[in-house]
Amino acid sequence: MTDTPATPLLDTIGAPADLKRLSDRQLRQVADELRAETIAAVSETGGHLGAGLGVVELTVALHAIFDTPRDKLIWDVSHQSYPHKIITGRRDRIRTIRQKGGLSGFTKRSESPYDPFGAAHSSTSISAALGFAVARDLGGSIETGLGDAIAVIGDGSMSAGMAFEAMNNAGHLNKRLFVILNDNEMSIAPPVGALSSYLSRLYAGEPFQEFKSAAKGAVSLLPEPFREGAKRAKDMLKGIAVGGTLFEALGFSYVGPIDGHDFDQLLPVLRTVKARATGPMLIHVLTKKGKGYAPAENARDGGHATAKFDLATGKQKKAPSNAPSYTSVFGRTLTALAAEDPRICAVTAAMPGGTGLDLMAERYPSRVFDVGIAEQHGVTFSAALAAGGMRPFCAMYSTFLQRGYDQVVHDVAIQRLPVRFAIDRAGLVGADGATHAGSFDIAYLSNLPGFVVMAAADEAELTHMIATAAAHDEGPIAFRYPRGEGSGVTMPERGEPLEIGRGRMICEGSRVAILSFGTRLGEVMKACEALGARGVSPTVADARFAKPLDRELIMRLARDHEALITIEEGAVGGFGSHVAQLLGDEGVFDTGLKFRSMVLPDTFIDHASPADMYASAGLSAEDIEAKVLQVLGVEVMGKRA
């Protein structure tokens, strides 16, 4: 494989309409070239690889048969959309994907008319497709027109409740729309649950039913991995009705399963359903994540997400790490605590590796629960584990915990149940951009009565906060920490429980105090170095807790300084707002304290490196230095624009 593959036919495709003049044989060639181009591009940029490789043939077939952008092609999650981007006029920018100023790693409405609905979280596509179908039938008018609506959703995403809510509604409304169930037996982690078993049983059923004649679809013709699945399933079939019974019960006509890498099956079936469908239609397509690139096919996660890599070997080009990642510190610390306390258990929603719980699962598999893409269920399940005398850690990314917020309020907080929320990917996360940013959890948890909310300033503090959470049985408690490496501090042998609601002084200075919540503390200390050269020496404190606040510490900082600045990696309404409320209630502003709160700006920040994103958010060391000088009334020469 050369770095730039030869793609003579793909070179002639400027837009999906160009596919319509090609023969079926040429479409096959376009798919081969598209796969090579996708692999070559991701080797240079890093990003999501396996999912896109699994849908190359499906991408070409859908764009060749349907009339995008009039027909709305909606990719669930949309991390598999790189091939789609290449053939929808963005090939010249594909090597900018997930980089500052470049293409998004997900579909994005503002990026292209071929991205009718943005995504990045799972299980939204069927709801969106139904919305477009109803808008069409109600006479909605948009620039690209409204034709068919097609949702492409993976088997992992299909396990989430929202997908079934949408299918139930779609079946009731009986609108013409297409759901392509892209079944690769793999989301990021291996799929879990009864739906996964149900789909496995379908593999052994007669494909096609009334469309049997439309394509060669017998189990014997399936590629080896699927044949094996079909054989495994045969024993389970006695007495079970096969043929998509579950989907048909929801009001969908069901076709499949068919081989998603075989144009002799894909093209005739898609042409047939497009010509004949009158109501909602589910086409069950079997694919292989990482298809066509051996290192991805052989990877445990199908090459889900990768750094830049060597094309020939697939070996990733990762920079050596200088410190352990926050995620690994969480995984190791929790595993050690679980060894001492049999009540400690852990819950994650389809992210055992991403949250570090795979480490605990290896040692204590009976106490780690991957509930699938089901954050609502995961939170309530954790609540009842706590009510049952266990000490559950509910480990979810900040952005995904948003999906279970009502359960956090209704099932955990109101009942004061001691669920421990381990909130990974706090703050700005880099290449995944706004959809994955952990911007809101400080605000949406700190306003809940009885909640304890902590943020670790570094990886050593994280170990103490995990110990604090494990020992806290009086109600819900959360601790947040960012993506990526720690700061390289000396690690304690074991975490020690912190006094609830007590911060710590970092250094004593004069005139201005900076109260930091979370990992901006490192940037605060850099700013203080630069300020020292100007003869300004701020007092610095680490709040540790956004709730309950350390009232004594805050009042002392306010009393002993002209100005107080808070800083956090979260949106307005969080830590700084609670500090301001306290100071206002105590009448501190009446005596002239200058108060500033540094938070994320009121905008969604596009993908870039975390450092670039924090600079654009105005939360870098340079911004902190400028804020201190500004509040003290010191003129700053050569201030950056």
Side-chain angles (χ1 to χ4, degrees):
M1 261 183 209
T2 61
D3 285 358
T4 50
T7 54
L9 201 49
L10 183 62
D11 294 346
T12 68
I13 307 299
D18 296 330
L19 296 169
K20 297 187 186 303
R21 57 181 168 74
L22 302 182
S23 67
D24 291 1
R25 185 182 57 77
Q26 288 175 308
L27 290 175
R28 219 172 265 126
Q29 184 184 332
V30 167
D32 292 342
E33 294 178 9
L34 180 57
R35 177 170 280 111
E37 174 69 350
T38 302
I39 295 166
V42 179
S43 77
E44 293 179 34
T45 62
H48 292 99
L49 179 65
L53 297 185
V55 296
V56 167
E57 288 81 7
L58 185 59
T59 302
V60 171
L62 287 168
H63 278 297
I65 289 164
F66 287 93
D67 180 23
T68 56
R70 184 174 180 273
D71 291 339
K72 307 305 174 202
L73 178 55
I74 301 158
W75 297 95
D76 203 271
V77 184
S78 76
H79 60 312
Q80 75 283 59
S81 65
Y82 297 14
H84 158 82
K85 293 194 179 211
I86 290 170
I87 59 172
T88 53
R90 288 170 274 181
R91 185 182 181 187
D92 60 334
R93 298 182 65 209
I94 197 67
R95 284 165 175 77
T96 69
I97 203 158
R98 301 173 86 242
Q99 292 164 46
K100 186 177 182 180
L103 294 177
S104 169
F106 304 100
T107 51
K108 193 171 184 181
R109 279 171 53 83
S110 60
E111 192 176 283
S112 169
Y114 291 96
D115 293 357
F117 203 81
H121 293 195
S122 90
S123 316
T124 62
S125 60
I126 305 175
S127 301
L130 180 60
F132 278 116
V134 170
R136 171 196 68 208
D137 294 351
L138 289 175
S141 174
I142 58 174
E143 200 176 320
T144 52
L146 284 165
D148 278 321
I150 308 105
V152 182
I153 181 167
D155 53 310
S157 295
M158 187 63 104
S159 68
M162 187 174 171
F164 283 93
E165 292 169 21
M167 289 188 76
N168 187 45
N169 191 210
H172 169 70
L173 293 175
N174 199 34
K175 299 292 182 186
R176 172 181 159 114
L177 81 150
F178 301 94
V179 174
I180 313 284
L181 172 55
N182 171 40
D183 186 353
N184 58 25
E185 296 195 278
M186 170 78 68
S187 47
I188 297 173
V192 291
L195 178 68
S196 177
S197 304
Y198 177 78
L199 295 176
S200 299
R201 293 201 297 274
L202 288 183
Y203 293 165
E206 280 290 307
F208 284 161
Q209 299 129 359
E210 70 268 30
F211 295 118
K212 243 186 250 181
S213 58
K216 53 174 207 213
V219 165
S220 60
L221 294 173
L222 289 174
E224 194 55 49
F226 305 135
R227 240 180 282 168
E228 211 176 288
K231 283 182 200 131
R232 275 201 315 273
K234 270 183 183 154
D235 295 338
M236 304 162 75
L237 283 168
K238 291 168 187 152
I240 294 174
V242 185
T245 313
L246 171 64
F247 304 114
E248 287 173 345
L250 289 166
F252 275 70
S253 298
Y254 172 90
V255 182
I258 62 172
D259 178 358
H261 301 299
D262 184 352
F263 277 110
D264 289 342
Q265 294 183 42
L266 269 181
L267 294 170
V269 169
L270 291 175
R271 285 173 183 141
T272 304
V273 297
K274 184 175 189 285
R276 294 194 202 171
T278 53
M281 192 95 220
L282 185 131
I283 302 100
H284 185 177
V285 176
L286 306 181
T287 62
K288 183 170 176 61
K289 199 167 183 178
K291 173 75 174 176
Y293 186 54
E297 287 191 32
N298 297 331
R300 196 167 53 92
D301 63 355
H304 172 73
T306 176
K308 297 175 186 180
F309 59 89
D310 179 87
L311 260 182
T313 64
K315 188 170 171 21
Q316 296 188 39
K317 301 171 182 173
K318 287 186 174 173
S321 61
N322 302 310
S325 71
Y326 284 95
T327 301
S328 68
V329 169
F330 167 67
R332 287 200 303 270
T333 305
L334 188 63
T335 303
L337 288 169
E340 300 168 5
D341 186 348
R343 292 170 296 174
I344 288 177
C345 55
V347 175
T348 184
M351 301 294 282
T355 57
L357 286 183
D358 51 349
L359 301 172
M360 181 173 161
E362 285 170 20
R363 287 273 305 275
Y364 305 107
S366 66
R367 287 194 270 154
V368 176
F369 303 94
D370 179 356
V371 299
I373 301 172
E375 290 84 0
Q376 293 178 314
H377 161 63
V379 171
T380 302
F381 175 55
S382 299
L385 282 168
M390 299 301 288
R391 286 180 160 166
F393 280 75
C394 183
M396 294 180 184
Y397 292 4
S398 171
T399 186
F400 296 143
L401 185 58
Q402 292 164 189
R403 295 165 65 101
Y405 187 62
D406 180 59
Q407 288 69 26
V408 171
V409 178
H410 179 266
D411 300 327
V412 177
I414 289 175
Q415 303 191 95
R416 293 189 64 83
L417 287 168
V419 175
R420 293 108 178 127
F421 289 95
I423 302 175
D424 202 333
R425 305 313 198 260
L428 302 176
V429 296
D432 283 333
T435 55
H436 282 58
S439 307
F440 309 113
D441 58 276
I442 306 171
Y444 71 60
L445 295 179
S446 295
N447 60 11
L448 298 177
F451 237 95
V452 173
V453 181
M454 303 180 281
D458 56 46
E459 62 271 38
E461 281 287 293
L462 177 58
T463 62
H464 298 313
M465 288 180 181
I466 298 164
T468 307
H472 186 75
D473 291 321
E474 289 72 53
I477 187 166
F479 52 95
R480 75 190 313 253
Y481 47 99
R483 178 182 187 167
E485 289 177 10
S487 52
V489 297
T490 303
M491 294 294 285
E493 284 203 16
R494 57 179 294 130
E496 297 296 337
L498 303 172
E499 183 183 346
I500 298 295
R502 184 70 67 204
R504 59 178 179 144
M505 289 296 293
I506 303 297
C507 60
E508 298 268 9
S510 61
R511 295 193 66 195
V512 61
I514 304 173
L515 181 57
S516 176
F517 181 64
T519 57
R520 281 297 90 186
L521 183 61
E523 292 295 298
V524 169
M525 298 315 291
K526 280 187 211 166
C528 287
E529 273 184 51
L531 288 163
R534 292 173 173 268
V536 177
S537 62
T539 295
V540 178
D542 173 16
R544 282 178 166 163
F545 294 84
K547 188 163 194 179
L549 290 172
D550 186 341
R551 183 184 175 283
E552 188 183 313
L553 173 65
I554 293 166
M555 295 303 289
R556 179 152 67 88
L557 294 175
R559 184 186 67 235
D560 295 346
H561 298 83
E562 296 169 39
L564 174 60
I565 299 169
T566 65
I567 185 163
E568 65 198 283
E569 295 162 333
V572 66
F575 170 67
S577 299
H578 284 260
V579 172
Q581 181 76 31
L582 170 67
L583 294 172
D585 289 348
E586 296 290 340
V588 173
F589 296 131
D590 304 355
T591 57
L593 176 76
K594 296 175 183 172
F595 178 77
R596 303 289 185 272
S597 183
M598 298 183 74
V599 297
L600 292 176
D602 189 23
T603 185
F604 291 107
I605 299 174
D606 281 337
H607 57 280
S609 70
D612 281 339
M613 293 176 85
Y614 278 117
S616 69
L619 294 178
S620 68
E622 190 178 350
D623 297 303
I624 298 164
E625 180 190 354
K627 182 71 74 175
V628 169
L629 295 173
Q630 176 252 322
V631 79
L632 292 178
V634 178
E635 281 297 318
V636 185
M637 299 299 291
K639 187 178 167 190
R640 72 174 187 191

